[in-house]
Amino acid sequence: MSPASQQEHEGGGRVSSASNSYGKDAFNSYAKGFLKPFKGKGELIRLRDELEEAARAARQEAIDMASQANGGLLKSTDLWLTPWGKSGIPARTLQWRDNRQRSMGLWLLEAFLSRDDISEAMRQSVIDLEVQRCVFNAKAATINWSIKRIGKALADIEHAVSFQR
Protein backbone atom coordinates (compact mmCIF):
# COMPACT_ATOMS: atom_id res chain seq x y z
CA MET A 1 0.00 0.00 0.00
CA SER A 2 1.43 3.42 -0.96
CA PRO A 3 2.02 6.02 1.80
CA ALA A 4 -0.79 8.21 0.39
CA SER A 5 -3.29 5.37 0.27
CA GLN A 6 -2.08 4.22 3.72
CA GLN A 7 -2.82 7.71 5.05
CA GLU A 8 -6.25 7.74 3.41
CA HIS A 9 -6.90 4.23 4.74
CA GLU A 10 -6.03 5.36 8.28
CA GLY A 11 -8.50 8.24 8.04
CA GLY A 12 -5.85 10.91 7.58
CA GLY A 13 -7.50 12.34 4.48
CA ARG A 14 -5.67 13.40 1.38
CA VAL A 15 -2.74 15.74 1.81
CA SER A 16 -0.48 16.50 -1.11
CA SER A 17 3.14 15.46 -0.81
CA ALA A 18 4.13 19.05 -1.55
CA SER A 19 2.39 20.31 1.58
CA ASN A 20 3.90 17.48 3.65
CA SER A 21 7.48 18.23 2.61
CA TYR A 22 6.88 21.97 2.73
CA GLY A 23 5.62 21.82 6.31
CA LYS A 24 8.48 19.61 7.49
CA ASP A 25 11.23 21.61 5.77
CA ALA A 26 9.81 25.02 6.59
CA PHE A 27 9.74 24.49 10.33
CA ASN A 28 12.84 22.31 10.64
CA SER A 29 15.27 25.23 10.71
CA TYR A 30 13.20 27.13 13.29
CA ALA A 31 12.95 24.12 15.59
CA LYS A 32 16.74 23.97 15.92
CA GLY A 33 16.80 27.47 17.39
CA PHE A 34 13.99 26.78 19.83
CA LEU A 35 15.26 23.42 21.05
CA LYS A 36 18.67 24.59 22.25
CA PRO A 37 19.02 26.44 25.53
CA PHE A 38 19.76 30.15 25.34
CA LYS A 39 22.90 31.06 27.25
CA GLY A 40 22.64 34.79 26.89
CA LYS A 41 21.41 37.89 25.14
CA GLY A 42 23.64 37.25 22.11
CA GLU A 43 21.89 34.00 21.23
CA LEU A 44 18.49 35.72 21.47
CA ILE A 45 19.70 38.50 19.19
CA ARG A 46 21.07 35.95 16.72
CA LEU A 47 17.76 34.02 16.67
CA ARG A 48 15.80 37.27 16.26
CA ASP A 49 18.00 38.22 13.30
CA GLU A 50 17.46 34.78 11.73
CA LEU A 51 13.72 35.10 12.24
CA GLU A 52 13.69 38.59 10.73
CA GLU A 53 15.44 37.18 7.66
CA ALA A 54 12.85 34.37 7.57
CA ALA A 55 10.11 37.03 7.79
CA ARG A 56 11.52 38.83 4.74
CA ALA A 57 11.59 35.53 2.85
CA ALA A 58 8.04 34.73 4.01
CA ARG A 59 6.77 38.12 2.78
CA GLN A 60 8.12 37.31 -0.67
CA GLU A 61 6.78 33.76 -0.44
CA ALA A 62 3.29 35.12 0.33
CA ILE A 63 3.46 37.39 -2.71
CA ASP A 64 4.66 34.52 -4.89
CA MET A 65 1.99 32.07 -3.64
CA ALA A 66 -0.77 34.63 -4.16
CA SER A 67 0.46 35.61 -7.63
CA GLN A 68 0.75 31.99 -8.74
CA ALA A 69 -2.70 31.07 -7.42
CA ASN A 70 -4.44 34.23 -8.64
CA GLY A 71 -2.89 34.02 -12.10
CA GLY A 72 -3.46 30.28 -12.41
CA LEU A 73 -5.93 28.18 -10.47
CA LEU A 74 -8.08 31.07 -9.23
CA LYS A 75 -7.98 33.14 -12.43
CA SER A 76 -11.47 32.17 -13.58
CA THR A 77 -13.07 32.22 -10.11
CA ASP A 78 -14.37 34.93 -7.83
CA LEU A 79 -11.75 33.97 -5.19
CA TRP A 80 -8.45 35.72 -4.61
CA LEU A 81 -5.52 35.17 -2.24
CA THR A 82 -4.04 38.31 -0.73
CA PRO A 83 -1.03 38.80 1.57
CA TRP A 84 -2.48 40.63 4.54
CA GLY A 85 -1.29 42.04 7.83
CA LYS A 86 -1.16 45.18 9.87
CA SER A 87 1.66 47.61 9.28
CA GLY A 88 4.77 46.52 11.14
CA ILE A 89 3.95 42.80 11.09
CA PRO A 90 7.17 41.00 10.06
CA ALA A 91 5.52 38.19 8.04
CA ARG A 92 2.13 38.68 6.40
CA THR A 93 -0.44 35.91 6.20
CA LEU A 94 -2.51 34.88 3.19
CA GLN A 95 -6.22 35.66 3.34
CA TRP A 96 -9.14 34.80 1.07
CA ARG A 97 -10.71 37.79 -0.67
CA ASP A 98 -13.24 38.29 -3.39
CA ASN A 99 -11.73 39.33 -6.72
CA ARG A 100 -13.09 42.86 -6.29
CA GLN A 101 -11.14 43.11 -2.99
CA ARG A 102 -14.25 44.19 -1.06
CA SER A 103 -14.75 41.21 1.27
CA MET A 104 -12.32 39.00 3.16
CA GLY A 105 -12.59 35.78 5.11
CA LEU A 106 -12.80 32.02 5.13
CA TRP A 107 -16.53 32.27 4.38
CA LEU A 108 -15.61 33.18 0.78
CA LEU A 109 -13.79 29.86 0.37
CA GLU A 110 -16.66 27.97 2.01
CA ALA A 111 -19.20 29.64 -0.29
CA PHE A 112 -17.08 28.80 -3.33
CA LEU A 113 -16.64 25.15 -2.33
CA SER A 114 -20.35 24.72 -1.64
CA ARG A 115 -21.29 25.66 -5.21
CA ASP A 116 -22.66 22.84 -7.38
CA ASP A 117 -21.03 24.10 -10.59
CA ILE A 118 -17.45 23.45 -9.34
CA SER A 119 -15.77 20.35 -10.77
CA GLU A 120 -14.33 17.83 -8.33
CA ALA A 121 -10.85 18.44 -9.76
CA MET A 122 -11.19 22.20 -9.16
CA ARG A 123 -12.65 21.60 -5.69
CA GLN A 124 -9.72 19.34 -4.76
CA SER A 125 -7.16 21.80 -6.16
CA VAL A 126 -8.66 24.65 -4.13
CA ILE A 127 -8.71 22.45 -1.01
CA ASP A 128 -5.03 21.62 -1.59
CA LEU A 129 -4.34 25.35 -1.94
CA GLU A 130 -6.17 25.95 1.36
CA VAL A 131 -3.93 23.36 3.06
CA GLN A 132 -0.86 25.17 1.71
CA ARG A 133 -2.30 28.50 2.89
CA CYS A 134 -2.90 27.10 6.40
CA VAL A 135 0.65 25.73 6.63
CA PHE A 136 2.10 29.01 5.38
CA ASN A 137 -0.02 31.05 7.83
CA ALA A 138 1.16 28.84 10.71
CA LYS A 139 4.75 29.55 9.71
CA ALA A 140 4.09 33.30 9.46
CA ALA A 141 2.34 33.32 12.85
CA THR A 142 5.22 31.44 14.46
CA ILE A 143 7.73 33.90 13.03
CA ASN A 144 5.66 36.92 14.10
CA TRP A 145 5.03 35.69 17.64
CA SER A 146 8.64 34.63 18.13
CA ILE A 147 10.05 37.97 16.98
CA LYS A 148 7.63 39.80 19.27
CA ARG A 149 8.45 37.59 22.27
CA ILE A 150 12.21 37.83 21.73
CA GLY A 151 11.85 41.62 21.54
CA LYS A 152 10.06 41.59 24.90
CA ALA A 153 12.75 39.36 26.42
CA LEU A 154 15.50 41.69 25.15
CA ALA A 155 13.67 44.71 26.61
CA ASP A 156 13.34 42.87 29.94
CA ILE A 157 17.08 42.10 29.87
CA GLU A 158 17.88 45.76 29.18
CA HIS A 159 15.64 46.76 32.09
CA ALA A 160 17.39 44.31 34.43
CA VAL A 161 20.85 45.45 33.29
CA SER A 162 19.87 49.10 33.89
CA PHE A 163 20.08 48.37 37.64
CA GLN A 164 23.78 47.53 37.43
CA ARG A 165 26.12 50.05 39.05
Side-chain angles (χ1 to χ4, degrees):
M1 184 179 286
S2 74
S5 58
Q6 177 73 26
Q7 184 179 13
E8 286 178 3
H9 177 73
E10 293 172 354
R14 182 171 177 244
V15 178
S16 71
S17 61
S19 65
N20 271 346
S21 65
Y22 171 81
K24 183 178 178 184
D25 295 342
F27 292 104
N28 194 23
S29 63
Y30 304 116
K32 289 177 187 174
F34 293 124
L35 296 177
K36 68 180 181 181
F38 297 115
K39 295 178 183 166
K41 180 179 171 183
E43 289 178 352
L44 287 175
I45 291 171
R46 198 169 15 263
L47 179 58
R48 181 205 57 204
D49 293 347
E50 289 174 15
L51 288 167
E52 286 175 349
E53 179 61 34
R56 285 188 285 280
R59 279 195 300 270
Q60 186 60 50
E61 186 179 353
I63 292 167
D64 294 346
M65 278 180 68
S67 295
Q68 182 180 8
N70 295 337
L73 176 65
L74 301 175
K75 189 173 187 167
S76 62
T77 70
D78 53 354
L79 280 176
W80 199 258
L81 271 182
T82 302
W84 184 86
K86 296 177 183 174
S87 179
I89 297 284
R92 296 185 181 243
T93 59
L94 287 166
Q95 301 297 323
W96 290 108
R97 305 242 12 201
D98 68 332
N99 60 5
R100 293 180 309 264
Q101 302 289 314
R102 293 186 182 155
S103 298
M104 179 171 62
L106 190 57
W107 69 272
L108 292 164
L109 173 67
E110 292 168 354
F112 178 79
L113 292 174
S114 67
R115 290 175 29 189
D116 292 332
D117 63 335
I118 305 298
S119 71
E120 281 307 308
M122 172 63 107
R123 185 180 320 279
Q124 189 58 55
S125 294
V126 172
I127 290 169
D128 289 345
L129 179 60
E130 171 62 1
V131 169
Q132 291 174 352
R133 186 190 75 85
C134 290
V135 170
F136 176 81
N137 284 354
K139 179 174 87 170
T142 301
I143 292 169
N144 291 337
W145 182 88
S146 298
I147 289 172
K148 181 178 178 180
R149 185 63 190 100
I150 289 171
K152 170 124 176 48
L154 290 172
D156 291 347
I157 289 169
E158 289 300 319
H159 180 71
V161 170
S162 72
F163 290 101
Q164 288 179 338
R165 296 179 190 224

